[in-house]
Amino acid sequence: MPDSVHYKSLIQPSCSRKLPDFKQSVKLKYVKLGYHYVITHGMYLFLSPLVALIAAQLSTFSIQDIYDLWEHLRFNFISVILCSTLLVFLSTLYFLTRPQPVYLVNFACYKPEDARKCTRQIFMERSGLTGTFSQENLDFQRKILERSGLGESTYLPEAVLRVPPNPCMAEARKEAEYVMFGALDELFAKTSLKPKDIGILIVNCSLFNPTPSLSAMVINHYKLRGNIVSYNLGGMGCSAGLISIDLAKDLLQVHPNSYALVISMENITLNWYFGNERSMLVSNCLFRMGGAAILLSNKRSDRWRSKYRLVHTVRTHKGADDKCFSCVTQQEDPTGRIGVSLSKDLMAVAGDALKTNITTLGPLVLPMSEQLLFFATLVARKVFKLKIKPYIPDFKLAFEHFCIHAGGRAVLDELEKNLQLSDRHMEPSRMTLYRFGNTSSSSLWYELAYSEAKGRIKRGDRTWQIAFGSGFKCNSAVWKALRTINPAKEKNPWMDEIHQFPVDVPKVSTI
């Protein structure tokens, strides 16, 4: 089978490699909504008559009845003291052992200057001018780009757009500095935080790991304090951003009254592929320049000014399976050129990782009504051997907003269909892919920024961030909004042009 057929499936999902069919087995919409309402409010419906009965009984108490109750307790003083002591002990134990809340104070996404914009026509022209691609592979890249869902305003670094290209260590460092320092300058301006206040620093970048490290570059530039707890995560793919959030959460449990700074980015300059292996050319067509900086805090005094509280993180790793491990690999082609190879099994592997991840996440976030339906169908299938479809819970009942990694159009299409999400749920992911391309681990933050710019984040809203990455990994984070976000007071990369979105993105857009 030609390679073009294999890798077209990364943009257009084929029937044989779709994600698992998560189609609902219950189709009576209003019956289900009624059932969900009854189960969700079942406790209130049960307790209301009980409370009314107790209140009615108490209303019949006379002064003599109250005096008799006091006399009874007075002569059982030891029992009262023991019960009170136990209650105080258990309450103290609970407050001392419960996890510290982790707040997202604010975040910033880097928006490159207009000189870095790369239309699809410029992309094809510069690819042709390199002189390294065959005509067949230029046509292949054109087909991928036409079906990718990318628009005309994505960004590429100067070294890649230059004629001839100049991919070198100095240019890669320059790109990293632009992205990291650009996002951090905006974040410090938003939060009025001094760099010396940062106690924990985590930087993730999968493919660019210089010495000194990226985290050391940040420490040197902003003159961060000498006892800062710093980490530099490499080789962990597009889901490394949520791994960084999870690591920061754990560190904030053992470092009281601290700020944690997370920087998520990817580097294009040294990872542009100039060969003719089609499995490696797909990444050229999808990945673009971008990054984000996120400030987390465990200080209760920061709750009033924070945007979100971290509710859950769930990490799934399928690296023990050889097929999963090798589906995204950085390697040399037969001519010695280094690139990132995407396997034809990528969609199937992503589907398996997603299924495992949501199986773990479901019991943590889903209402009881959905969990009962899932458990009932599971018992029917496993115990009674009934031939019925697996019931996939309705995650729209658990979340108001979805930030799905904008890795490519195929993944977004399949998740929209199989999780039965609406166009509005998918809008942040699709518009991020269209406007900024695949910015790797930072794409989730461009998506959240889009929802904020649209004025959709209300107090109490729950947001599900989900990302896929090499290894193979699927990671989730759940956030709860602590306040309603007023877009008029926001500064993010969408604000100057949010009125232009959403736009219609055709299945095929000819260059």
Side-chain angles (χ1 to χ4, degrees), residues 451-496:
S451 295
E452 291 186 353
K454 279 292 185 181
R456 295 177 181 175
I457 305 296
K458 309 299 180 185
R459 182 179 179 181
D461 282 1
R462 298 152 300 177
T463 300
W464 181 15
Q465 291 182 322
I466 185 165
F468 303 90
S470 59
F472 190 86
K473 300 178 286 293
C474 178
N475 301 318
S476 291
V478 178
W479 303 90
K480 185 174 183 179
L482 298 176
R483 57 185 170 91
T484 298
I485 307 299
N486 183 359
K489 298 181 180 179
E490 285 301 307
K491 180 182 179 183
N492 71 45
W494 295 96
M495 294 310 302
D496 296 337

Side-chain angles (χ1 to χ4, degrees), residues 33-303:
L33 287 175
Y35 160 78
H36 168 68
Y37 182 86
V38 169
I39 296 299
T40 302
H41 299 88
M43 185 61 70
Y44 300 103
L45 296 175
F46 172 76
L47 289 179
S48 295
L50 186 60
V51 170
L53 184 62
I54 293 173
Q57 183 65 32
L58 290 176
S59 67
T60 64
F61 271 36
S62 64
I63 299 298
Q64 183 62 39
D65 292 330
I66 296 175
Y67 178 77
D68 292 341
L69 179 61
W70 166 250
E71 286 294 313
H72 177 73
L73 292 175
R74 188 160 64 90
F75 290 109
N76 290 275
F77 189 68
I78 295 178
S79 299
V80 173
I81 291 296
L82 289 176
C83 289
S84 300
T85 303
L86 180 62
L87 183 62
V88 170
F89 172 76
L90 292 176
S91 300
T92 303
L93 186 65
Y94 168 75
F95 283 107
L96 289 177
T97 58
R98 66 174 179 169
Q100 292 193 63
V102 175
Y103 303 114
L104 193 161
V105 180
N106 216 323
F107 67 97
C109 299
Y110 174 64
K111 187 176 185 178
E113 58 187 7
D114 288 343
R116 302 280 72 79
K117 279 187 179 180
C118 177
T119 66
R120 296 181 303 153
Q121 187 63 43
I122 290 177
F123 176 92
M124 293 307 305
E125 289 176 358
R126 302 296 164 87
S127 295
L129 289 174
T130 63
T132 63
F133 301 117
S134 66
Q135 185 58 50
E136 291 80 5
N137 281 330
L138 286 172
D139 293 339
F140 171 73
Q141 290 182 77
R142 182 186 300 274
K143 290 178 181 178
I144 294 292
L145 204 57
E146 289 175 342
R147 294 160 174 79
S148 66
L150 272 67
E152 302 292 352
S153 300
T154 58
Y155 301 95
L156 283 174
E158 180 183 0
V160 173
L161 290 177
R162 186 179 299 168
V163 180
N166 183 32
C168 63
M169 181 62 75
E171 289 294 329
R173 284 184 176 273
K174 185 189 297 185
E175 179 192 350
E177 290 172 354
Y178 281 147
V179 174
M180 292 192 301
F181 302 159
L184 283 174
D185 287 345
E186 181 178 324
L187 181 63
F188 285 135
K190 282 183 174 182
T191 59
S192 300
L193 195 71
K194 297 177 181 178
K196 292 284 187 183
D197 294 331
I198 303 299
I200 299 167
L201 172 65
I202 303 171
V203 181
N204 67 266
C205 182
S206 186
L207 297 175
F208 181 55
N209 294 287
T211 300
S213 67
L214 296 172
S215 59
M217 290 168 61
V218 173
I219 293 170
N220 175 260
H221 181 80
Y222 290 97
K223 308 305 176 186
L224 303 184
R225 65 198 201 199
N227 65 342
I228 190 168
V229 179
S230 66
Y231 293 86
N232 198 92
L233 307 183
M236 304 193 79
C238 298
S239 66
L242 295 187
I243 293 175
S244 298
I245 295 294
D246 183 64
L247 175 59
K249 178 195 73 173
D250 290 342
L251 291 170
L252 286 171
Q253 299 304 311
V254 295
H255 294 276
N257 297 314
S258 296
Y259 287 108
L261 182 60
V262 173
I263 303 172
S264 293
M265 59 169 291
E266 194 50 81
N267 192 280
I268 304 295
T269 300
L270 281 182
N271 296 290
W272 201 254
Y273 178 62
F274 293 97
N276 284 283
E277 287 293 313
R278 293 192 174 181
S279 65
M280 299 181 179
L281 284 171
V282 176
S283 59
N284 281 12
C285 301
L286 297 179
F287 282 89
R288 295 295 183 266
M289 189 177 179
I294 304 97
L295 180 65
L296 303 175
S297 171
N298 59 9
K299 300 182 180 182
R300 295 189 182 275
S301 59
D302 279 324
R303 189 184 191 282

Side-chain angles (χ1 to χ4, degrees), residues 356-383:
T356 302
N357 189 268
I358 66 175
T359 300
T360 306
L361 180 67
L364 301 176
V365 299
L366 287 167
M368 185 58 66
S369 57
E370 290 299 290
Q371 296 195 47
L372 288 175
L373 283 174
F374 176 79
F375 180 74
T377 55
L378 181 66
V379 170
R381 294 177 67 245
K382 300 296 184 181
V383 178

